[in-house]
Amino acid sequence: LVAAWVALRDFAVMFERGSVFAEWAVIDWVHAAVVVSALGAAGGDRRPWAQSLLAVIITALGGTYLSNVFVLAQPPSWLTSDAVLPAYVITFFVHRYAPRDAYHRLVSLPAVRLALNVLDNVSWATAITAWGVDKALLGAEHERARASLVTAFVTGFFSGCGGGLLSGAFSLGEDKWHFRTPPALARSPPGFAPTIAAILTACYMVATIGLRVPRDDARLAVLLVLWLADSFYSPQVWRRFASVTTDYAATTPTARPRRRHGGGGGQRKQQQQQQQQQQQQQRKAKSQ
């Protein structure tokens, strides 16, 4: 058991810090694949690409943006990196314009979805712990923030679920964006993501600050909880982003609406048909 624990802990640390090339972190590419697929299944594939891309960026990176800019008053690390944001942009366009929907077919395979879910929860655990609580207590640029347990909790919470809350608050999973109460908070008990983020943030703080558990071991414990509560509980659903749309089933692969993106020909045809119908109606009104 000790050997297995050490092996899993080393794997989580290696995956968190591992890179594909130079600064291109594996953890960013995996998270990008999950967010793009989740929002695509929620209807993003049929919307204009600029709208869908902005929704992906806000959902994926909005949590650490909230925790850093509005809580710690400092720029998030992904905003000062030349590798993080491009990873999401590249993944988005590959997903959207791959020939014969090859990328979508690949990530829709049950084994691939399970693997992405398992690996993305490493990203989720890292967001709550290293990019959240530890960032406030150890990496905050302001001395008062480093000394505050409240700041550490709020930072960990928003790093863990802030992107999903922003996406739900501004209806980024719908065709027309509008401000509303995030669906994950508009019910009792709250949705899965904010609930698990709050619980694990508190538990991680108790373990590392109160019980003096080594941070890598505490992060692994957070990761194991996420694996049991998310990856293996519902492996074919992106539960982390289920609140992006009010229709929970819309994040399943079978519900993903598809249309070809070969230059937007289908959309132009629809616009032309609508214009023709309007012209015919105007002609009838004039003749009458």
Side-chain angles (χ1 to χ4, degrees):
L1 290 176
V2 173
W5 180 273
V6 172
L8 283 175
R9 183 190 63 193
D10 293 344
F11 163 76
V13 172
M14 178 190 67
F15 182 76
E16 173 192 342
R17 302 170 184 172
S19 60
V20 179
F21 176 76
E23 296 183 1
W24 298 83
V26 178
I27 198 170
D28 294 324
W29 291 94
V30 171
H31 188 50
V34 171
V35 177
V36 169
S37 297
L39 290 182
D45 292 326
R46 67 170 181 264
R47 302 185 187 109
W49 70 265
Q51 178 184 4
S52 298
L53 177 58
L54 185 58
V56 166
I57 294 173
I58 293 175
T59 303
L61 303 173
T64 50
Y65 184 86
L66 282 176
S67 61
N68 280 269
V69 175
F70 291 98
V71 180
L72 300 180
Q74 63 189 45
S77 57
W78 64 263
L79 200 57
T80 58
S81 170
D82 294 330
V84 177
L85 189 59
Y88 290 87
V89 175
I90 293 172
T91 302
F92 171 82
F93 282 109
V94 170
H95 166 91
R96 192 174 179 94
Y97 296 109
R100 298 182 178 275
D101 291 335
Y103 184 86
H104 165 64
R105 296 176 186 274
L106 175 64
V107 298
S108 295
L109 296 174
V112 176
R113 286 182 67 87
L114 175 59
L116 287 175
N117 201 327
V118 169
L119 295 177
D120 186 57
N121 276 331
V122 180
S123 167
W124 198 358
T126 303
I128 294 172
T129 57
W131 301 339
V133 175
D134 293 344
K135 184 70 171 289
L137 295 177
L138 306 176
E141 298 177 1
H142 297 279
E143 183 178 355
R144 292 177 62 185
R146 292 195 300 270
S148 173
L149 296 179
V150 173
T151 299
F153 177 84
V154 174
T155 304
F157 174 77
F158 278 123
S159 295
C161 67
L165 293 179
L166 278 177
S167 184
F170 290 96
S171 308
L172 302 188
E174 300 180 11
D175 294 339
K176 299 295 184 181
W177 293 356
H178 57 276
F179 188 72
R180 63 178 180 181
T181 303
L185 301 181
R187 59 192 182 92
S188 184
F192 174 77
T195 299
I196 201 72
I199 293 174
L200 292 180
T201 298
C203 291
Y204 181 75
M205 291 179 63
V206 170
T208 55
I209 300 173
L211 303 179
R212 303 291 182 180
V213 175
R215 296 187 182 279
D216 287 342
D217 291 318
R219 290 177 192 171
L220 178 57
V222 170
L223 175 58
L224 291 176
V225 172
L226 288 175
W227 276 347
L228 293 175
D230 185 20
S231 299
F232 302 112
Y233 177 81
S234 184
Q236 295 306 309
V237 178
W238 311 124
R239 294 185 74 198
R240 184 177 179 181
F241 305 104
S243 61
V244 168
T245 173
T246 54
D247 182 8
Y248 187 89
T251 55
T252 61
T254 55
R256 181 176 187 264
R258 296 297 299 161
R259 75 169 177 84
R260 291 297 174 185
H261 303 283
Q267 188 174 7
R268 284 197 297 269
K269 288 181 180 179
Q270 291 180 357
Q271 292 176 352
Q272 291 174 358
Q273 291 176 357
Q274 291 177 356
Q275 291 176 357
Q276 291 176 358
Q277 291 176 357
Q278 291 176 357
Q279 291 175 359
Q280 290 176 358
Q281 291 176 356
Q282 291 175 358
R283 290 172 184 171
K284 289 181 179 179
K286 289 180 180 180
S287 63
Q288 292 176 355

